[in-house]
Amino acid sequence: MAFQIPRGTQDILPGDSEKWQYVEQVARELCSRYGYREIRTPIFEHTELFLRGVGDTTDIVQKEMYTFEDKGGRALTLRPEGTAPVVRAFVEHKLYGSPNQPLKLYYSGPMFRYERPEAGRFRQFVQFGVEAIGSSDPAIDAEVMALAMHIYEALGLKRIRLVINSLGDLDSRRAHREALVRHFSGRIDELCADCQARLETNPLRILDCKKDRDHELMATAPSILDYLNDESRAYFEKVKHYLAMLGLPFVVDSRLVRGLDYYNHTTFEIMSEAEGFGAAATLCGGGRYNGLVEEIGGPEMPGIGFALSIERLLAALEAEGVELPTDEGIDCYVAALGERAKEEAVRLVYELRRAGLRVDQDYVGRKLKAQLKAADRLKAAFVVMIGDEELDKQIATVKEMASGEQTNVPFGELASFFTERTRREGE
Ligand code: HAM
């Protein structure tokens, strides 16, 4: 019986893994430029954390969590997102006591949601995210959005759109909630069973319904922007002002409510406008979550962040035809002819690797000609050839693959010969 990978997951093979490394490296470097430092949290957490953090009326909690009981009878959940775990760590390690406020953190790692797999929608996917905790300065909202856009731009994406909204503070949301209940109550039976339940538990979630998205009641639903109180409105104006100052184009969409319960004030998404994107067009989502730290047992502290999926980022890059570095090739391949030469090759390869070079050799008993072909496939910049004659003289024949030029180099000088010639710009 042949095994198959579980539905909604994927293997990332060499050739692709380099692309992953590259985009993660660009994102990490930009985070560091913006003053964000990495945090790593476990892949599973106590289920209760997500019930509290993400919200027990959200689709994520109601339908999508991978929850299990461990042998000690604890209810654990594979993390569906990174914000609640980061806030849990923030509270647990009392990072709110750090003089460095806001605390700016980033993370990268697999998340798990039991969703219906389709293009760009996986059951295990990798989020790269940031959280800035401890500031309610609208300038940091702009910084977080600028960072997300910067990551995409640095990687070469052009057809992206920043969509923003404000959910306001608690008072604004309460007023909006009442208006939503008034709007939907009379005709709620026209909407799906989930929406009917949402009317009681969390009417804002109705606006996020995937099934009833196109129903007329959705288009005419009261807009949160009409219910923002003065303070919330002023906050949103400031955020927009900063975005404009940074020269970041955005559109306001009052129907952007997001699928998690912890949001208030600023919410945003970054969409791909490249062709061939359907449901997976949302590359990145984020927003402000004042109140979450408290909800998870910490002091009252505001926060804002985003998460983007690397899978969708790579798909967008492909859709826009952006080439990413893949296999760079090795510096040198050591080809050996005969038993004695083979022994010398084993030693030499190790020596050159210790000197910092990317080096390989034959391990499957290839003839010299096949070894040279293998060197070609590995995109070796140089081939070192060793046979009996070279061994006797302790001088290797070195061929530069690009020019075909051959040089004789004493064994003892090979490391410095290659180090000089393969030193790349900027190193
Ligand atoms: P989210 O909108 O649930 O937000 O997810 C963020 C991003 O993760 C989405 O925009 C999408 O690109 C990606 N994503 C979500 N589900 C899947 C999936 N099944 N397959 C592939 N990609 C997916 C959050 O998770 C929040 N924690 C973001 C945040 C951070 N808000 C504040 N700080």
Side-chain angles (χ1 to χ4, degrees):
M1 185 188 80
F3 287 107
Q4 281 185 345
I5 197 170
R7 229 163 104 72
T9 67
Q10 56 176 350
D11 297 313
I12 295 150
L13 305 179
D16 279 331
S17 57
E18 289 84 359
K19 296 180 186 166
W20 282 72
Q21 289 171 0
Y22 178 74
V23 300
E24 285 180 328
Q25 183 199 330
V26 168
R28 282 170 193 278
E29 275 173 19
L30 280 169
C31 278
S32 142
R33 215 189 281 182
Y34 281 64
Y36 289 71
R37 295 173 66 197
E38 186 175 11
I39 180 163
R40 300 188 187 202
T41 63
I43 278 174
F44 56 85
E45 296 273 355
H46 292 289
T47 303
E48 184 64 25
L49 173 69
F50 300 111
L51 304 188
R52 279 278 197 92
V54 171
D56 49 13
T57 58
T58 58
D59 276 2
I60 294 185
V61 166
Q62 290 201 334
K63 302 180 185 165
E64 298 172 359
M65 295 210 304
Y66 280 91
T67 294
F68 59 98
E69 192 177 290
D70 76 0
K71 295 196 193 302
R74 298 169 195 89
L76 299 171
T77 294
L78 298 183
R79 61 181 183 195
E81 61 103 49
T83 309
V86 167
V87 170
R88 195 263 314 135
F90 179 84
V91 172
E92 187 161 349
H93 300 281
K94 301 192 170 55
L95 301 182
Y96 46 78
S98 153
N100 277 335
Q101 302 295 341
L103 200 68
K104 304 204 284 187
L105 304 164
Y106 79 85
Y107 51 89
S108 180
M111 306 292 161
F112 306 84
R113 294 185 193 175
Y114 189 79
E115 294 199 78
R116 195 165 51 80
E118 52 184 79
R121 179 164 288 131
F122 299 91
R123 290 182 171 169
Q124 174 176 334
F125 56 101
V126 174
Q127 276 189 349
F128 189 98
V130 314
E131 312 294 345
I133 310 177
S135 166
S136 49
D137 181 345
I140 198 135
D141 300 43
E143 173 180 288
V144 162
M145 290 185 257
L147 172 53
M149 291 296 276
H150 200 157
I151 292 172
Y152 290 126
E153 276 163 26
L155 288 165
L157 282 187
K158 297 206 164 60
R159 307 197 52 198
I160 47 174
R161 183 162 43 121
L162 172 63
V163 183
I164 67 169
N165 189 24
S166 172
L167 300 182
D169 62 7
L170 207 59
D171 278 345
S172 312
R173 286 212 316 287
R174 203 170 286 141
H176 182 231
R177 183 193 162 107
E178 282 164 15
L180 286 173
V181 172
R182 278 196 300 277
H183 176 77
F184 286 112
S185 307
R187 293 171 61 191
I188 191 66
D189 44 354
E190 294 174 31
L191 302 183
C192 71
D194 278 347
C195 282
Q196 295 179 16
R198 286 170 186 138
L199 187 68
E200 300 279 315
T201 56
N202 193 345
L204 191 68
R205 290 268 76 80
I206 297 179
L207 301 180
D208 204 30
C209 180
K210 286 162 196 154
K211 272 188 228 142
D212 291 321
R213 189 187 343 235
D214 298 323
H215 194 284
E216 174 222 321
L217 280 174
M218 296 291 186
T220 52
S223 156
I224 176 71
L225 294 179
D226 294 330
Y227 291 85
L228 295 184
N229 57 18
D230 291 349
E231 217 175 297
S232 300
R233 190 181 313 268
Y235 192 89
F236 193 40
E237 286 309 315
K238 265 280 169 69
V239 172
K240 289 191 281 182
H241 167 73
Y242 280 123
L243 287 176
M245 260 183 58
L246 300 181
L248 283 171
F250 60 87
V251 290
V252 175
D253 178 355
S254 65
R255 290 174 64 188
L256 183 77
V257 296
R258 315 264 308 118
L260 305 96
D261 272 354
Y262 46 63
Y263 292 116
N264 38 57
H265 290 288
T266 317
T267 56
F268 65 97
E269 286 188 352
I270 299 172
M271 325 287 288
S272 168
E273 292 180 326
E275 262 152 54
F277 267 78
T282 306
L283 302 180
C284 170
R288 182 163 275 288
Y289 46 84
N290 302 351
L292 181 61
V293 177
E294 217 180 343
E295 184 69 39
I296 290 179
E300 193 186 329
M301 248 184 158
I304 179 162
F306 71 75
L308 60 86
S309 98
I310 307 269
E311 289 82 359
R312 292 187 188 180
L313 164 57
L314 288 170
L317 286 164
E318 198 177 318
E320 288 202 28
V322 179
E323 294 275 336
L324 293 179
T326 51
D327 183 9
E328 279 179 46
I330 61 172
D331 296 318
C332 164
Y333 188 92
V334 179
L337 188 64
E339 252 326 289
R340 275 172 65 218
K342 161 82 191 191
E343 291 214 343
E344 177 59 17
V346 169
R347 193 198 62 75
L348 189 61
V349 163
Y350 184 58
E351 180 187 320
L352 294 176
R353 287 174 177 162
R354 303 274 303 186
L357 296 152
R358 284 171 303 176
V359 188
D360 222 332
Q361 64 186 329
D362 172 62
Y363 290 110
V364 289
R366 292 186 181 92
K367 301 252 167 20
L368 185 64
K369 208 167 152 199
Q371 289 186 41
L372 296 180
K373 273 199 189 146
D376 241 0
R377 275 196 302 273
L378 294 172
K379 301 197 197 109
F382 292 92
V383 174
V384 175
M385 283 174 284
I386 325 174
D388 284 338
E389 205 184 317
E390 283 82 4
L391 275 179
D392 291 341
K393 293 193 195 147
Q394 290 286 296
I395 295 181
T397 306
V398 176
K399 182 175 176 186
E400 185 176 23
M401 300 300 269
S403 61
E405 202 179 294
Q406 296 214 4
T407 330
N408 295 325
V409 183
F411 282 7
E413 291 170 24
L414 279 166
S416 55
F417 176 90
F418 288 125
T419 318
E420 267 164 40
R421 279 166 186 76
T422 56
R423 190 167 291 147
R424 271 159 228 94
E425 251 175 80
E427 277 185 12

